[in-house]
Amino acid sequence: MQLSSLSHLTAVSGANCAIVVAAVMLLGAAARVPRGVRIALAAVALLGFVVLVTPEASVVRAGVMALIVLVSLARGRQGGGLPALALAVVVLLVLDPWMSRDYGFALSVLATAGLLVLTSPLSRALERWMPSSLARVLAIPLAAQLACQPVLILLEPSLPLYGVAANLLAAPAAPVGTVLGLVACLVLPVLPGVAYAAAQIAWAPASWIAAIAHTAAALPGARVPWMDGLVGFLVIVIVTLAALGVALAGRRRVLVRGVAIAIVVVAVGSYVGAALVTPRLRTASLPADWSMAACDIGQGDAVVVRSGDVHVLVDSGPDPEALSRCLDQLGIDRLDVFVISHFDLDHIGGTDAIVGRVDAVVTGGVPDPRGSDLLAQLADGGAEIHEVVAGDHGRIGGVWWSVLWPDAKDPAAEAGNDASVSMVMDAEGVRSLFLGDLGEDSQRALLATSAVPDVDVVKVAHHGSADQLAEVYQDARAEVGIISVGADNGYGHPAESILQTLSDTGAHALRTDQLGLIVLARSDDGLSAWFERSPPGGDAFG
C-alpha cells in the first residue's frame, strides 16, 4: 500500500465522513424527514462514526470540517469547502497546537486543499490531451498527490511512479468497501448474519484494492529515489510549483511558462544525473575483480562474497529497500547462496528483496515460527534449504566455506545471537571470517571446539559490541575488520574496546556508518579497498 501510494485508503479520511453524512441525508430525504432533522441525524451519525473509527488527527479534521458544513447548511448557507477547511484547521490548532506536528493531520489537510484548489484547473488542463470525462477522473488523484508529495518526501525520500494510476483504479472500490464495512460494524450486535454477509461482500472491493497495490508495488521502479530531508522537501516544492505553472499558466503568459519550463528541465536533469547516472558511474568505478562487499544497510549485517559470477550473501540487513539499493549498486540480479547467521530482524529484515532470486539457503537451527515462515517463503521462491552445524563445508564456483559454529552438542548454541552461524569463506584468494552476533561466551565456546585460522578479513561480531573475546581476533590475525553498523545507533556500537582489539592485532577497522559501501579486492600488494564515502581523517588504506 505504501509503495503504490494507496496507504491513505487504510486510514479514515474526509471521503469516509462525506460518505456517512451523504448516506444519512439521502436516506432521510427518501423517507421525507424534515431537513433540520436530517442535518441533526447526520451530525449524530458523524460523531458516532468518529468514535467508532477512533478520533485520530486526520479523522478529527475530517469530522470537524463536515460538522462545519452541516452547521452552515442548517443556517441556510452554502457550506464552501475551502472556508470550511480553513476554519476547521484554525479551530483544531487553537485547541491543540501540537496537532500541527502530526503527519496524518498535515497530509489530511493538504490532500483536501489539493482536491478543492487543484482539481478543476488540472481537469481543464488535461482536457487539452484527453476526453473531458477521463480528465476529470484523473485530476482527482493527481491533485491530491501533488499537494501531499512534499510532506510524503519527509516520510519516505522517493517518488511513487505509479501512484496516480493506482489511485485511479482503486478509487471506485473505496466507497463501496467503506459503506459495507460500516454496515457490518453497525448491525453486528443485533444481526450478526447480516453483518457477516455485508463483510463477505465487502471482500470484493477490498481485494480489488489489495490486488492493485500488489501489482503496482511489484512493477519495475515502483518508487524512484529522491533527496531526503529539508533539501528534498524544498526541491519537490519548487518542482511541483513549476510543473503546475507549466500546466496551468495560460498560453498568453509566455514568460511564466518559460520560467516554469526552465525550472522543470533543470530539476529533472539534476535528478536524472543524481539518481540515475551517478549511481551507474559509481558502480562502474568498483574494482572489476572485487571479492567482498559490506553493504551500508544501517544497524544490521549484509555482506556479499564474490568469485566471478558466483555471489554469496551473508544476512540481509533490516530493510529490503536498503538491500536492494546495495545489490543494484553491485550489479547483482541473482544470488547463488544466501547465508542466514540467525533470525534476528537486523539480519533477516531485508529478505523480501531477494525472495525468488536465491538458489540455495544455508542456515543453522530455526528456533521460532518467524524463522520457519521465512525459510518457507524462500523455498516457495525456488531456494533449496540447507541446515548446517560446525564441521560442515561446501563450495560453489570459486567460493569455498567451512562452518565453525554452532556446535550441535554445545548448550551455548541454543538460539539467537549465541547460535549465529559462523564460518570461514575463501573467494579469489580473500579469506574471511564471519562471526554473526556471537558474544564473548559463545566465542569462547567456538574456540574450544574449532580452531580459528588466519584470515584476511573478519566481519566483527554483533556490530562491534563490547561483548567480545580478544583471543578470537588475535587468532584470526586479519588485515581488515569490517564493522557493519548504523550511524547514531544508540547502542554505543562500535565499542572502544573492540576498536582497540582490532588495532592491537594490526587490523584496519572499516565501518559502514563512516564509509558507506565497502568493497575489497585482492591486489599484488595485499588487499585494496574502495569506499562509497571518503574515510574520516584521511585514512588512506587501500
Side-chain angles (χ1 to χ4, degrees):
M1 299 292 278
Q2 292 177 340
L3 290 175
S4 55
S5 290
L6 293 176
S7 55
H8 65 92
L9 294 180
T10 65
V12 177
S13 64
N16 303 116
C17 292
I19 290 170
V20 172
V21 171
V24 173
M25 295 292 286
L26 291 173
L27 289 173
R32 300 193 178 187
V33 176
R35 185 168 178 271
V37 177
R38 276 186 282 148
I39 293 174
L41 290 174
V44 172
L46 180 64
L47 178 61
F49 182 70
V50 170
V51 172
L52 176 66
V53 300
T54 69
E56 297 180 357
S58 60
V59 181
V60 173
R61 192 282 311 162
V64 170
M65 183 177 172
L67 186 61
I68 291 172
V69 173
L70 287 174
V71 171
S72 180
L73 291 175
R75 298 186 62 184
R77 299 181 180 180
Q78 291 294 325
L82 205 56
L85 174 63
L87 181 56
V89 171
V90 170
V91 169
L92 289 173
L93 291 183
V94 168
L95 294 175
D96 183 8
W98 288 103
M99 196 174 287
S100 62
R101 297 172 58 88
D102 189 290
Y103 277 105
F105 178 77
L107 291 171
S108 175
V109 172
L110 288 171
T112 305
L115 292 172
L116 293 170
V117 175
L118 297 176
T119 301
S120 293
L122 283 174
S123 178
R124 290 192 296 270
L126 292 172
E127 286 176 0
R128 303 172 191 167
W129 298 285
M130 61 185 68
S132 57
S133 56
L134 178 60
R136 286 192 294 271
V137 172
L138 186 59
I140 295 172
L142 183 58
Q145 188 73 41
L146 288 172
C148 292
Q149 195 57 63
V151 173
L152 292 173
I153 286 293
L154 297 176
L155 291 170
E156 172 59 41
S158 60
L159 299 176
L161 196 59
Y162 311 111
V164 173
N167 275 277
L168 188 63
L169 293 172
V176 180
T178 297
V179 171
L180 290 172
L182 180 60
V183 169
C185 287
L186 294 177
V187 304
L188 182 62
V190 291
L191 297 171
V194 174
Y196 180 78
Q200 292 300 305
I201 298 172
W203 172 88
S207 296
W208 170 255
I209 293 172
I212 295 299
H214 279 291
T215 302
L219 291 172
R223 295 190 79 92
V224 292
W226 190 261
M227 296 161 282
D228 59 358
L230 181 61
V231 174
F233 172 83
L234 293 175
V235 172
I236 196 65
V237 168
I238 293 171
V239 171
T240 300
L241 292 174
L244 288 172
V246 173
L248 305 182
R251 295 181 179 179
R252 296 180 181 178
R253 300 178 181 177
V254 178
L255 180 59
V256 174
R257 289 175 63 87
V259 172
I261 290 173
I263 293 174
V264 171
V265 169
V266 171
V268 171
S270 300
Y271 169 78
V272 170
L276 302 180
V277 177
T278 301
R280 283 168 173 75
L281 292 175
R282 189 179 295 147
T283 300
S285 70
L286 294 175
D289 56 349
W290 66 268
S291 300
M292 187 174 182
C295 294
D296 180 20
I297 40 78
Q299 184 72 4
D301 278 1
V303 180
V304 180
V305 175
R306 167 184 179 247
S307 176
D309 294 331
V310 174
H311 299 94
V312 178
L313 173 67
V314 182
D315 291 327
S316 62
D319 178 43
E321 291 189 20
L323 180 61
S324 292
R325 285 195 297 270
C326 180
L327 295 180
D328 289 345
Q329 189 170 351
L330 295 171
I332 299 173
D333 295 321
R334 190 162 188 87
L335 297 165
D336 296 274
V337 180
F338 173 40
V339 178
I340 301 175
S341 67
H342 62 299
F343 291 89
D344 283 356
L345 192 61
D346 56 340
H347 292 255
I348 62 167
T351 304
D352 282 349
I354 58 173
V355 171
R357 302 166 59 189
V358 179
D359 294 332
V361 175
V362 172
T363 180
V366 183
D368 57 32
R370 179 175 61 185
S372 300
D373 292 343
L374 181 69
L375 293 180
Q377 185 181 5
L378 288 163
D380 290 342
E384 295 183 6
I385 310 299
H386 303 275
E387 189 172 329
V388 297
V389 294
D392 290 342
H393 55 85
R395 180 178 187 138
I396 181 168
V399 180
W400 165 89
W401 71 88
S402 178
V403 180
L404 304 180
W405 187 262
D407 185 343
K409 300 177 182 179
D410 197 314
E414 290 182 354
N417 291 348
D418 291 335
S420 294
V421 174
S422 301
M423 57 173 59
V424 175
M425 286 195 191
D426 194 306
E428 301 292 337
V430 176
R431 179 172 284 195
S432 50
L433 171 64
F434 291 85
L435 294 171
D437 275 359
L438 295 184
E440 181 177 355
D441 291 339
S442 47
Q443 290 178 27
R444 183 174 288 107
L446 182 152
L447 282 185
T449 58
S450 303
V452 174
D454 290 357
V455 296
D456 301 295
V457 184
V458 58
K459 199 290 298 179
V460 175
H462 206 182
H463 323 296
S465 76
D467 188 21
Q468 309 276 352
L469 185 67
E471 286 82 353
V472 171
Y473 298 91
Q474 292 167 0
D475 289 355
R477 300 175 62 185
E479 183 180 350
V480 170
I482 288 181
I483 305 176
S484 186
V485 62
D488 303 321
N489 56 80
Y491 299 101
H493 298 165
E496 284 297 326
S497 57
I498 186 60
L499 295 176
Q500 186 61 51
T501 295
L502 293 173
S503 177
D504 292 343
T505 59
H508 294 270
L510 304 183
R511 301 164 46 176
T512 57
D513 62 330
Q514 295 180 343
L515 303 172
L517 174 65
I518 300 169
V519 177
L520 301 176
R522 171 64 68 189
S523 66
D524 294 336
D525 299 325
L527 284 180
S528 61
W530 179 99
F531 307 136
E532 187 175 19
R533 295 191 287 271
S534 299
D539 184 354
F541 172 78

